[in-house]
Amino acid sequence: NAGVTQTPKFRILKIGQSMTLQCTQDMNHNYMYWYRQDPGMGLKLIYYSVGAGITDKGEVPNGYNVSRSTTEDFPLRLELAAPSQTSVYFCASSRAGENEKLFFGSGTQLSVL
Amino acid sequence: AQSVTQLDSQVPVFEEAPVELRCNYSSSVSVYLFWYVQYPNQGLQLLLKYLSGSTLVKGINGFEAEFNKSQTSFHLRKPSVHISDTAEYFCAVREMDSSYKLIFGSGTRLLVRP
């Protein structure tokens, strides 16, 4: 059972480039989330989704977009990368009725230079 | 707005010694409380949670935490730590009327030395 899978694990972008961080889960969880983790700052919620076709903003959505066309996949899109988006990104999912128990992927370390 | 404060960014401790990692929260409504652990190069895992009932909750790997409503605290404790407990520990809160939004603290790195 793979759980939550994120790709890529590492990526370096130039300012202004775009990319998509992939996230897929095989646990049939309704809820999925994207967090970013900055050093000494804890995790901040970027976007979340309560089911296919439904997404909503979290605490720090600016500069990002998401889509949820299937239950399994929840990609995060950076359109115009900026140095402030250098961070570690975590995708997570949870089961309906157990939203406090998040299952996390292993993260994507992104550097924007 | 709710917030979570973990005052200790790093806690060094010798193996087999007891440890307490501090967490304080701020919220205008009732909350649920959680501790997550992050081992190196991995995502976070749920360690324990307080939803209701007994204020002393036990989690995995011998950890426990006590909810103190008057002090708005949820400190994590372990009576005897192991080298393998070296990790980053995050306290998190969720307001009872918010189904999805977990607010995390900045984390405490527990460093267990032999």
Side-chain angles (χ1 to χ4, degrees):
Chain A
N1 197 339
V4 179
T5 302
Q6 289 182 239
T7 56
K9 291 191 182 299
F10 305 95
R11 184 71 185 269
I12 298 175
L13 286 181
K14 294 182 180 179
I15 295 172
Q17 285 186 318
S18 62
M19 78 163 292
T20 299
L21 280 66
Q22 301 292 345
C23 175
T24 187
Q25 52 93 8
D26 62 0
M27 297 173 283
N28 202 32
H29 286 170
N30 289 85
Y31 307 133
M32 296 187 75
Y33 316 81
W34 274 106
Y35 284 89
R36 58 177 288 172
Q37 183 181 24
D38 300 324
M41 298 295 289
L43 279 77
K44 300 290 187 185
L45 181 63
I46 305 172
Y47 270 95
Y48 65 96
S49 169
V50 302
I54 306 170
T55 63
D56 209 346
K57 297 177 180 179
E59 303 169 82
V60 290
N62 292 342
Y64 306 95
N65 278 300
V66 293
S67 60
R68 185 93 182 271
S69 57
T70 66
T71 298
E72 295 77 20
D73 301 307
F74 190 42
L76 177 71
R77 179 84 178 162
L78 283 72
E79 291 292 352
L80 291 171
S84 61
Q85 293 177 306
T86 294
S87 189
V88 180
Y89 291 83
F90 287 101
C91 179
S93 69
S94 64
R95 183 179 292 117
E98 267 193 322
N99 294 331
E100 71 283 357
K101 188 172 183 178
L102 271 60
F103 292 78
F104 282 83
S106 56
T108 296
Q109 188 167 332
L110 176 66
S111 296
V112 182
L113 306 175
Chain B
Q2 56 184 335
S3 65
V4 181
T5 302
Q6 293 180 250
L7 288 173
D8 304 309
S9 60
Q10 182 165 301
V11 173
V13 64
F14 288 107
E15 193 174 19
E16 298 183 4
V19 70
E20 178 179 85
L21 306 183
R22 297 181 292 168
C23 172
N24 289 87
Y25 70 93
S26 172
S27 178
S28 57
V29 300
S30 297
V31 298
Y32 300 124
L33 295 152
F34 314 91
W35 276 98
Y36 277 81
V37 59
Q38 184 181 28
Y39 297 105
N41 301 314
Q42 295 184 26
L44 282 70
Q45 304 172 37
L46 182 64
L47 195 58
L48 50 79
K49 60 185 178 183
Y50 172 78
L51 302 181
S52 64
S54 173
T55 56
L56 182 65
V57 293
K58 294 187 183 299
I60 60 174
N61 301 335
F63 283 93
E64 63 181 31
E66 186 160 19
F67 171 51
N68 188 318
K69 189 174 182 179
S70 63
Q71 298 187 1
T72 61
S73 67
F74 191 55
H75 301 331
L76 182 70
R77 303 186 183 100
K78 186 170 183 178
S80 175
V81 294
H82 303 287
I83 296 287
S84 60
D85 292 323
T86 294
E88 190 93 20
Y89 292 81
F90 292 91
C91 183
V93 302
R94 193 186 92 206
E95 293 182 343
M96 288 187 180
D97 59 357
S98 171
S99 299
Y100 318 112
K101 188 176 177 182
L102 269 180
I103 302 297
F104 285 87
S106 56
T108 297
R109 177 161 178 75
L110 176 63
L111 181 58
V112 181
R113 297 167 173 164

